[in-house]
Amino acid sequence: MVTPTSVRTVDLRSDTVTKPTESMRSAMAKAEVDDDVLGSDPTAMRLEKEMAEIAGKEAAMFVPSGTMANLISVLIHCDERGSEVILGDDSHIHIYENGGVSSLGGVHPRTVKNEEDGTMVIGSIEAAVRGPKGDLHHPVTKLICLENTQANRGGRCLPVEYIDKVGEFAKKHGLKLHIDGARIFNASVALGVPVKRIVQAADSVSICLSEGIGAPVGSVIVGSKEFITKARWLRKTLGGGMRQVGVLCAAALVALNENVPKLGDDHKKAKILAEGLNRIERFRVNVAAVETNIIYVDIPEDPKFGAEDACKSLEDVGVLVLPQATFRIRIVLHHQISDVDVEYVLSCFEKMF
């Protein structure tokens, strides 16, 4: 349904829906570019250098999407077909990336339950590991993947101490650790900890530029120089090598400088909205779980009016959200949502039933 132009539109479907700012568009228009596949685009190199420094890793590489970033990372670490990756049962890689690690890489996913705080119990990870000297019927574990923030747990932040313990466990067992850090900047701001410290234990990290910080396109993979060299080969294989990509990287550089400082405001607005929704008798929000910019709203379990119906009803008044489950709605804040927008959304929810 097309929302009438006379109705205010507040798009909370995701933080990927943001429009490029004027400063981004200006930077894109003026970007110094060359051929990135040949390794000579200066703006791409500047972005990659800055991202490597932010993450405390040796090197970085721009890719078109977070899905490709995670796929490349998993395939490098699980370099033998039939090897295994341990990851959360509610993780983005497992649920939302088309099974690419298995269909394209022949990698076997072994899931461990994501707890309410987004972590996986280390004892459960240990129980899931299968080594080369084990039962020959089983694949061999090579990689552990974490997600920070954990989107399907409401944008929860994995504590640094937990990641360090998983990293120590991985090294002890000869495994690699990859972090899906699509919203790692949100985690950094919420925890008050630099990105490089959060991902210190990781062998590789994917960082989204279009989620969280609002660039129009792209993600970056960070890791060792050897890892990124292998990643460039795989990126080309997967069709992710682009030419004058500095046009996109220029917008990402603006996002790093202008939007990362705004994330704290996004989190505050999310908390205000969550608290307001939870005060409405018909809705339930776990306010304590709203640590960053994602909110899950549970609605009354009426078989005649589920989350999809609620989303359509809200769309009629210009509020765009997504159904997460039969009776659950997902809301994601971003830098283009104002205090007035938050008030309007609350008023629309109040009038829904």
Side-chain angles (χ1 to χ4, degrees):
M1 179 184 296
V2 178
T3 304
T5 55
S6 59
V7 175
R8 183 187 193 94
T9 299
V10 183
D11 197 341
L12 300 168
R13 291 172 297 167
S14 177
D15 44 5
T16 61
V17 302
T18 55
K19 307 299 188 290
T21 62
E22 287 303 315
S23 53
M24 287 182 192
R25 293 176 188 272
S26 176
M28 294 169 76
K30 299 174 183 176
E32 185 181 1
V33 298
D34 205 320
D35 192 322
D36 185 54
V37 175
L38 300 180
S40 54
D41 188 295
T43 307
M45 288 189 286
R46 184 156 64 93
L47 173 66
E48 290 166 347
K49 183 176 184 292
E50 185 165 340
M51 290 297 293
E53 290 174 353
I54 288 170
K57 304 300 181 186
E58 291 180 345
M61 181 185 74
F62 181 87
V63 292
S65 70
T67 295
M68 183 178 286
N70 286 327
L71 177 61
I72 288 173
S73 299
V74 172
L75 297 193
I76 291 172
H77 293 308
C78 298
D79 55 356
E80 295 179 359
R81 293 185 68 84
S83 56
E84 186 170 74
V85 54
I86 293 174
L87 70 176
D89 66 342
D90 219 4
S91 64
H92 196 279
I93 294 174
H94 184 59
I95 302 293
Y96 299 117
E97 298 184 10
N98 296 110
V101 298
S102 56
S103 63
L104 297 178
V107 178
H108 183 264
R110 184 159 167 83
T111 60
V112 171
K113 179 184 176 183
N114 280 118
E115 302 297 321
E116 286 304 308
D117 64 355
T119 64
M120 297 179 286
V121 174
I122 293 179
S124 299
I125 296 175
E126 184 170 16
V129 173
R130 301 192 276 201
K133 296 182 180 179
D135 191 325
L136 60 79
H137 295 88
H138 297 158
V140 175
T141 306
K142 289 200 169 186
L143 175 66
I144 300 169
C145 289
L146 300 177
E147 182 180 331
N148 199 11
T149 64
Q150 218 293 341
N152 273 3
R153 289 294 179 268
R156 301 295 291 270
C157 303
L158 304 190
V160 175
E161 297 77 15
Y162 170 77
I163 298 173
D164 286 348
K165 288 178 181 177
V166 175
E168 290 169 8
F169 172 84
K171 286 183 180 179
K172 177 182 175 182
H173 291 269
L175 307 175
K176 298 296 185 180
L177 174 60
H178 172 70
I179 295 178
D180 175 359
R183 295 184 176 91
I184 198 70
F185 287 110
N186 293 86
S188 174
V189 170
L191 293 170
V193 178
V195 170
K196 66 175 61 179
R197 179 63 191 90
I198 296 174
V199 303
Q200 182 176 300
D203 296 285
S204 60
V205 187
S206 61
I207 302 175
C208 191
L209 302 165
S210 58
E211 289 178 352
I213 65 172
V217 180
S219 286
V220 168
I221 310 170
V222 298
S224 67
K225 289 180 181 179
E226 180 183 4
F227 178 89
I228 294 301
T229 296
K230 293 177 181 178
R232 291 192 185 280
W233 284 87
L234 258 179
R235 183 183 68 175
K236 182 62 177 173
T237 301
L238 295 171
M242 298 183 287
R243 301 297 176 173
Q244 285 69 43
V245 74
V247 172
L248 299 177
C249 294
L253 285 164
V254 173
L256 285 173
N257 293 326
E258 294 186 358
N259 292 345
V260 172
K262 299 176 183 177
L263 292 176
D265 288 336
D266 296 346
H267 300 170
K268 289 176 184 176
K269 288 169 188 169
K271 185 70 83 171
I272 290 168
L273 180 54
E275 290 170 345
L277 290 168
N278 199 47
R279 283 194 292 267
I280 302 173
E281 185 177 348
R282 300 173 297 281
F283 305 116
R284 290 291 175 269
V285 177
N286 182 356
V287 176
V290 181
E291 297 176 349
T292 54
N293 66 324
I294 300 176
I295 306 168
Y296 288 122
V297 185
D298 292 321
I299 67 172
E301 294 189 9
D302 180 351
K304 295 181 180 179
F305 193 85
E308 289 190 6
D309 301 298
C311 291
K312 290 176 183 176
S313 178
L314 288 165
E315 184 179 359
D316 288 340
V317 291
V319 176
L320 307 181
V321 292
L322 293 175
Q324 177 70 14
T326 306
F327 300 107
R328 173 170 283 192
I329 293 170
R330 187 182 90 148
I331 293 173
V332 185
L333 278 287
H334 50 79
H335 75 96
Q336 292 177 339
I337 299 300
S338 68
D339 293 331
V340 174
D341 290 331
V342 170
E343 293 175 8
Y344 179 71
V345 171
L346 280 171
S347 70
C348 292
F349 268 87
E350 287 173 347
K351 299 171 183 174
M352 188 187 305
F353 289 95

